[in-house]
Amino acid sequence: MKISLLRNTADKFSFISIIFFSVFLVSCYNAERNCTDFHYGEFEFKTNVDGVKKISKFKRTNDFEIEVFENKTDSAKIKWISDCEFILTKINPLNNQEKKPISIKIISTDKNSYTFEYHLVGNKKNTQRGIVSKVN
């Protein structure tokens, strides 16, 4: 005696249609990543620190990033790992914490902004996300 999970042609067609549609939906989603559009330029990063809105502005070239945050200027070297990943290392760290490089990965882009993940190199469990806007 044969037991069939799909008893008739209509059930088989419905099952195949559901599988095809599910695969189609999953394969269509692909976040836009035009990362090279953000290798150079002037940018702004907004965040909340203890409920207070903070804005960091920075200029990026192929090799350096110069940041102004709370009227203090800081510089870092950039090492591009791929078009969408890079490592920032402060040029003049003031303490041991600042000596640790930061890994940044662009995960999606829009016309004038990108969403990214970042963490200290070697400390991936404390990964955070942010959005950067290109201002020029």
Side-chain angles (χ1 to χ4, degrees), residues 12-128:
K12 290 177 185 176
F13 180 75
S14 294
F15 178 75
I16 291 170
S17 296
I18 290 170
I19 296 297
F20 176 76
F21 186 69
S22 298
V23 169
F24 177 74
L25 282 178
V26 171
S27 66
C28 285
Y29 179 75
N30 192 7
E32 182 180 350
R33 288 190 356 158
N34 296 319
C35 302
T36 55
D37 293 349
F38 300 96
H39 282 209
Y40 306 92
E42 294 179 25
F43 304 90
E44 192 173 81
F45 174 59
K46 297 177 184 176
T47 190
N48 283 315
V49 178
D50 298 326
V52 178
K53 183 178 176 181
K54 303 282 184 172
I55 298 174
S56 172
K57 295 183 179 192
F58 57 97
K59 184 175 183 176
R60 184 180 297 146
T61 66
N62 193 49
D63 298 318
F64 298 100
E65 186 170 289
I66 301 166
E67 175 186 27
V68 177
F69 179 70
E70 296 183 331
N71 295 321
K72 295 178 185 172
T73 303
D74 206 355
S75 301
K77 291 176 73 174
I78 298 175
K79 179 180 179 185
W80 288 97
I81 306 301
S82 70
D83 283 347
C84 297
E85 292 184 62
F86 59 98
I87 305 291
L88 279 180
T89 306
K90 289 200 177 196
I91 294 174
N92 295 309
L94 299 176
N95 55 48
N96 284 335
Q97 181 71 14
E98 289 186 358
K99 288 180 182 178
K100 297 177 183 177
I102 300 170
S103 174
I104 298 175
K105 180 178 182 179
I106 299 172
I107 54 176
S108 67
T109 63
D110 289 328
K111 183 179 178 184
N112 293 315
S113 66
Y114 64 87
T115 302
F116 67 103
E117 292 181 339
Y118 64 101
H119 59 83
L120 293 175
V121 171
N123 191 5
K124 208 169 190 175
K125 68 180 180 180
N126 290 320
T127 299
Q128 297 182 36

